[in-house]
Amino acid sequence: MPEAPMTDPHAVTSLEALEALYGAAVPNSVLKVRRDLDAPSAAFIAGSPFCILSTRNADGRVHGTPRGDGPGFVQVVSPTELLLPDRRGNNRIDALRDIIGDPNVALLFLVPGSGETLRVGGKAVISTDPALRARLAH
């Protein structure tokens, strides 16, 4: 879809203007940002049957790809490593193509009935390791 030229006279186009609209971040929202997964985060992932995998292709276009299975389908291997299985779908493999070109990804985990979400960012690797595939087999 072609991008329309920006014609909104009320468009916010600078960080200063944006920050003036919102003010300072809520302190707890800043404190919860971590470089590794803590126990509550790991427990949230274990209870999540659904996440959205966000990737970016070589042209800079972003994709949000749904991923899901039973709770715990994404496994926490360490405080800095997750295993996300690939469940067969429509075989478009947009996200996987994107990861080949740009390994930076983000995951948004959701748990039904919870008012919380968990965001995790990092670098992805696509592996065909037989041991990992067996571990994640459905």
Side-chain angles (χ1 to χ4, degrees), residues 4-120:
M6 180 63 84
T7 58
D8 182 352
H10 303 285
V12 177
T13 59
S14 72
L15 290 177
E16 293 81 13
L18 180 66
E19 291 168 354
L21 286 170
Y22 285 86
V26 175
N28 282 345
S29 71
V30 175
L31 293 174
K32 70 181 182 179
V33 175
R34 306 176 50 88
R35 298 196 56 79
D36 58 358
L37 296 169
D38 58 6
S41 297
F44 194 88
I45 292 169
S48 175
F50 181 77
C51 69
I52 299 169
L53 170 62
S54 297
T55 58
R56 178 179 56 212
N57 72 14
D59 295 331
R61 295 192 186 272
V62 295
H63 292 109
T65 307
R67 302 290 171 154
D69 206 336
F73 79 104
V74 175
Q75 297 178 14
V76 177
V77 177
S78 75
T80 59
E81 188 176 19
L82 299 174
L83 293 178
L84 172 62
D86 182 41
R87 302 291 188 234
R88 296 293 177 168
N90 60 18
N91 281 350
R92 283 189 49 147
I93 63 173
D94 294 324
L96 301 178
R97 291 176 198 272
D98 292 349
I99 290 167
I100 297 293
D102 181 349
N104 293 293
V105 300
L107 293 164
L108 175 65
F109 289 95
L110 302 137
V111 173
S114 170
E116 301 291 322
T117 63
L118 177 67
R119 294 174 283 188
V120 177

